[in-house]
């Protein structure tokens, strides 16, 4: 009898100790369900950005959007409107650049993200398009059917893009990048001007919108879709408000990356955000602030 009572008392004491421990952890801002979810997942959490050529080689903030298939009424915080206001775009129907001005291209049959710069892509091996690097080779490359950006051959499906936070001029091409890059290399080596003419879009960050996001949101990149769903469920189990909706990160963060949006105006959300940041997840807000600083420095330098 006495032994049974001791066991019962011991179990009750253990249960109380466990509850006190959980309460203490929650008081420190640790959402236990989220912590348990992460304890079972050993995959990388931080998303590292490396500037390179191609779609994944630049941070294009115009790609920070709500998923198109997600009904707009479910975006109760109207975050997609906030994201759209982050970037101001100026469009000119026809702008002329020299081929040497192009420092990034968008599409290719080759994995462009392997090449940090156009110069490295130009010097790839083998490079059959380059030939001997003669003016004749230049003309042969420019005559390729997919080189549609030459002055006088304006093509609606291709364009130039530039960013206030990125020094490079980007060619949105529909193909022909191997011949284009070989032509660019020969033209630079031979000192030959090759004028290009296309529509030009310039994207610049809106400082007011960036500061609003900085003061009110944490935008965590969750690199795996299943982990995103599990974390969102775990946080809701902990009564942590999660901004509803499905938001996609810019393409440089990965094809499966989702954005977990938490409001700094809610104390539980702010504590959970700090915990998840400490676990190694990338916060897009840090990169937005970084790119706004780069943009300010460029404007100051150019003026």
């Amino acid at each position: 009898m006495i032994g049974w009572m001791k066991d019962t008392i011991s179990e009750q004491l253990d249960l109380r100790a466990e509850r006190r421990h959980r309460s203490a952890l929650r008081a420190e801002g640790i959402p236990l369900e989220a912590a348990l979810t992460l304890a079972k997942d050993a995959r990388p959490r931080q998303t590292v950005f490396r500037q390179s050529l191609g779609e994944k080689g630049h941070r294009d903030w115009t790609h920070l959007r709500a998923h198109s298939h997600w009904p707009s009424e479910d975006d109760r915080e109207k975050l997609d409107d906030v994201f759209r206001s982050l970037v101001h775009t100026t469009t000119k129907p026809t702008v002329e650049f020299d081929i040497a001005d192009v420092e990034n291209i968008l599409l290719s049959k080759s994995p462009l993200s392997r090449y940090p710069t156009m110069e490295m892509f130009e010097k790839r091996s083998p490079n059959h398009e380059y030939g001997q690097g003669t003016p004749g080779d230049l003309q042969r490359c420019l005559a390729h059917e997919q080189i549609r950006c030459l002055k006088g051959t304006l093509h609606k499906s291709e364009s130039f893009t530039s960013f206030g936070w990125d020094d490079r001029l980007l060619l949105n091409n529909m193909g022909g990048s191997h011949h284009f890059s070989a032509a660019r290399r020969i033209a630079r080596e031979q000192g030959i001007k090759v004028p290009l003419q296309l529509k030009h879009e310039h994207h610049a960050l809106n400082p007011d919108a960036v500061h609003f996001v900085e003061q009110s949101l944490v935008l965590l990149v969750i690199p795996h879709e299943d982990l995103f769903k599990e974390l969102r469920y775990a946080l809701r189990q902990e009564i942590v408000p999660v901004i509803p909706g499905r938001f996609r990160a810019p393409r440089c963060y990965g094809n499966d990356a989702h954005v977990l949006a938490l409001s700094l105006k809610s104390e539980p959300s702010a504590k959970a955000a700090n915990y998840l940041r400490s676990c190694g997840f990338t916060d897009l807000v840090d990169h937005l602030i970084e790119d706004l600083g780069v943009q300010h420095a460029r404007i100051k330098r150019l003026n």
Side-chain angles (χ1 to χ4, degrees):
M1 184 71 168
I2 294 176
W4 174 80
M5 291 179 62
K6 284 183 177 179
D7 290 341
T8 302
I9 293 171
S10 178
E11 288 176 4
Q12 291 178 347
L13 290 174
D14 287 345
L15 183 59
R16 289 183 182 180
E18 181 183 347
R19 287 174 178 169
R20 283 199 299 270
H21 181 61
R22 285 173 172 263
S23 298
L25 290 174
R26 287 194 174 98
E28 292 175 12
I30 298 176
L32 296 182
E33 295 296 330
L36 292 171
T37 298
L38 291 176
K40 297 181 292 183
D41 196 304
R43 290 175 293 181
R45 297 170 188 172
Q46 190 172 30
T47 306
V48 179
F49 170 72
R50 293 184 178 88
Q51 191 177 81
S52 67
L53 303 184
E55 288 183 297
K56 296 183 179 180
H58 60 282
R59 288 202 289 243
D60 188 346
W61 294 111
T62 65
H63 291 164
L64 180 59
R65 290 286 185 268
H67 275 286
S68 57
H69 65 268
W70 191 267
S72 59
E73 58 267 22
D74 286 339
D75 179 13
R76 298 170 198 164
E77 301 289 329
K78 300 301 179 186
L79 269 196
D80 200 44
D81 292 341
V82 174
F83 293 158
R84 289 181 187 280
S85 71
L86 280 174
V87 178
H88 175 70
T89 301
T90 304
T91 304
K92 295 182 179 179
T94 54
V95 174
E96 183 176 318
F97 289 102
D98 184 69
I99 195 170
D101 296 330
V102 176
E103 295 183 81
N104 191 5
I105 47 182
L106 193 62
L107 300 175
S108 176
K109 297 173 185 176
S110 294
L112 287 175
S113 58
R114 291 183 183 176
Y115 304 97
T117 64
M118 280 290 290
E119 288 72 22
M120 292 186 72
F121 182 50
E122 290 170 352
K123 294 178 180 178
R124 65 191 179 276
S125 181
N127 186 345
H128 303 297
E129 294 79 15
Y130 177 75
Q132 300 300 313
T134 65
D137 290 321
L138 171 61
Q139 293 305 315
R140 176 177 50 78
C141 287
L142 294 175
H144 189 270
E145 62 180 359
Q146 291 185 325
I147 304 295
R148 295 177 287 249
C149 53
L150 296 175
K151 184 177 180 180
T153 59
L154 192 63
H155 202 274
K156 292 182 180 179
S157 65
E158 298 191 355
S159 64
F160 295 120
T161 299
S162 58
F163 302 92
W165 59 92
D166 188 331
D167 285 325
R168 301 172 299 173
L169 177 69
L170 185 149
L171 172 64
N172 297 286
N173 63 312
M174 300 300 291
S177 56
H178 288 72
H179 288 81
F180 177 87
S181 63
R184 179 183 181 275
R185 177 182 174 182
I186 297 169
R188 291 169 66 242
E189 291 174 348
Q190 297 287 335
I192 299 172
K193 294 290 184 181
V194 178
L196 312 175
Q197 195 174 57
L198 288 172
K199 180 180 76 171
H200 177 220
E201 290 186 341
H202 180 71
H203 304 291
L205 286 169
N206 176 354
D208 292 336
V210 173
H211 292 321
F212 172 82
V213 169
E214 178 186 9
Q215 293 166 8
S216 58
L217 295 169
V218 170
L219 303 173
L220 298 171
V221 179
I222 312 300
H224 317 290
E225 184 172 6
D226 58 338
L227 181 58
F228 167 76
K229 292 177 180 177
E230 291 171 7
L231 279 176
R232 189 173 57 176
Y233 175 78
L235 290 172
R236 286 171 176 168
Q237 289 289 101
E238 290 286 323
I239 321 298
V240 173
V242 176
I243 296 176
R246 289 169 61 87
F247 306 101
R248 65 171 181 259
R251 291 169 187 166
C252 62
Y253 294 100
N255 296 330
D256 296 328
H258 287 67
V259 177
L260 183 66
L262 297 170
S263 173
L264 292 176
K265 297 176 182 178
S266 160
E267 184 177 353
S269 292
K271 286 184 176 180
N274 286 336
Y275 169 71
L276 292 172
R277 280 170 59 102
S278 72
C279 290
F281 289 105
T282 299
D283 186 356
L284 290 183
V285 180
D286 292 337
H287 291 177
L288 267 171
I289 296 168
E290 178 183 324
D291 283 349
L292 182 62
V294 172
Q295 178 173 291
H296 282 327
R298 284 194 65 205
I299 292 172
K300 187 175 181 180
R301 185 174 72 247
L302 292 173
N303 291 339

